Amino acid sequence: MKKHIEVSLESHVATVVIDRPPHNHVNAALIGALADIFEELDRDDRCRAIVLATGGRVFCGGADLSGDKPLTTNTGEAETPILYRNAVRLFATRKPIVAAIQGAAVGAGLGLALVADFRVASPEARFSANFVNLGFHAGFGISHTLPRVIGVQKASLMLLTGRRVKAQEALGYGLVDEVVPAERLRDAARALAGEIALAAPLGVEATRATLRGDLAAAVERQTQHERAEQDRLMATADFHEGIKAVAERRPGNFIRQ
């Protein structure tokens, strides 16, 4: 999966670009490859901050839930626990991360955006935790990380309605730190990362570790709970209806079964 990820390093800022068209959907292998790269950058003293970006018009459309057996590996095994273990590795990264977000950050795509310390978005960006529309439970640690960033009330609004939040509204939520024109998106993200990289790296890493506390461990605990709820709900008729309804762009006909 590293073939879908490009890395460059300039002026102590690493730019990591996921390019898996058309929607940059994530799976366990892709998140594992991304975690490998982040860990490599952790060991590289030339890198003091990371910009996380994606190619195309969509930041990340989430996990691929198409087919009869969603969230399974090529061998038919459930890949969700592998994906979540790799997600925890992302949260354990020591270097500060700035995400450059264009288009949709949906489901696991929102979870990926929340790995970052800061989010710079284009006006076209939109954020959605649409799990309930799928008859599903939030994953990727979102039920912990989203309220941590925007507060319980706003997070509840997003998680219980599945509504889309556009960039300017997300700025008001505190979910986004800057909104800039699309043509300036990566430059603005690199500028913020560059500002971080100008500071003393040991001081930055120590301060960041204090601010984040036991975030990686908390995400690990939360994903265990999320996975149990997802496994339970994936066995319901409502989940299968939700997948079908979202694919057909219509409201679900849920029956509480």
Side-chain angles (χ1 to χ4, degrees):
M1 276 297 173
K2 281 190 178 180
K3 66 181 180 181
H4 294 295
I5 306 175
E6 297 180 359
V7 183
S8 59
L9 181 63
E10 183 179 355
S11 300
H12 298 298
V13 174
T15 301
V16 180
V17 181
I18 298 170
D19 192 6
R20 193 182 184 212
H23 302 299
N24 296 310
H25 282 136
V26 298
N27 58 23
L30 181 65
I31 296 301
L34 185 63
D36 288 344
I37 289 168
F38 279 11
E39 289 169 356
E40 290 168 8
L41 292 172
D42 264 353
R43 295 188 292 269
D44 189 340
D45 288 341
R46 297 173 301 166
C47 174
R48 298 181 182 179
I50 299 169
V51 169
L52 175 63
T54 64
R57 299 176 61 184
V58 175
F59 176 74
C60 177
D64 187 1
L65 294 177
S66 62
D68 294 331
K69 294 182 178 181
L71 294 178
T72 58
T73 64
N74 292 334
T75 63
E77 299 171 327
E79 75 161 34
T80 303
I82 306 170
L83 190 154
Y84 288 172
R85 284 198 299 272
N86 287 331
V88 171
R89 293 169 61 202
L90 297 181
F91 285 101
T93 303
R94 298 195 312 274
K95 305 289 174 73
I97 303 166
V98 179
I101 299 169
Q102 78 291 353
V106 178
L110 173 61
L112 183 61
L114 287 164
V115 170
D117 300 84
F118 304 101
R119 283 154 290 279
V120 179
S122 69
E124 299 78 18
R126 58 193 187 276
F127 303 84
S128 177
N130 65 337
F131 300 93
V132 292
N133 297 329
L134 295 164
F136 207 36
H137 189 287
F140 213 97
I142 290 174
S143 57
H144 178 83
T145 57
L146 186 61
R148 183 180 183 273
V149 171
I150 66 174
V152 172
Q153 194 67 19
K154 288 289 192 294
S156 297
L157 188 63
M158 290 184 67
L159 287 166
L160 299 183
T161 66
R163 67 167 58 175
R164 291 181 177 182
V165 176
K166 295 181 179 179
Q168 203 61 42
E169 186 177 9
L171 182 64
Y173 278 20
L175 182 55
V176 163
D177 299 285
E178 294 181 45
V179 177
V180 299
E183 62 271 18
R184 290 183 46 225
L185 180 61
R186 286 197 196 173
D187 287 343
R190 280 192 285 259
L192 177 53
E195 187 177 352
I196 296 168
L198 286 174
L202 294 178
V204 167
E205 290 182 28
T207 302
R208 181 180 185 266
T210 299
L211 291 171
R212 287 167 82 91
D214 67 343
L215 180 58
V219 168
E220 183 174 22
R221 291 190 297 270
Q222 197 76 353
T223 53
Q224 291 172 0
H225 171 76
E226 289 173 341
R227 179 191 166 202
E229 288 301 296
Q230 288 178 336
D231 287 348
R232 179 177 68 84
L233 291 169
M234 283 176 70
T236 66
D238 277 353
F239 172 72
H240 293 285
E241 165 60 14
I243 296 294
K244 186 177 180 182
V246 168
E248 296 174 355
R249 299 182 182 275
R250 62 171 174 80
N253 297 313
F254 299 117
I255 58 174
R256 198 180 171 86
Q257 291 183 9

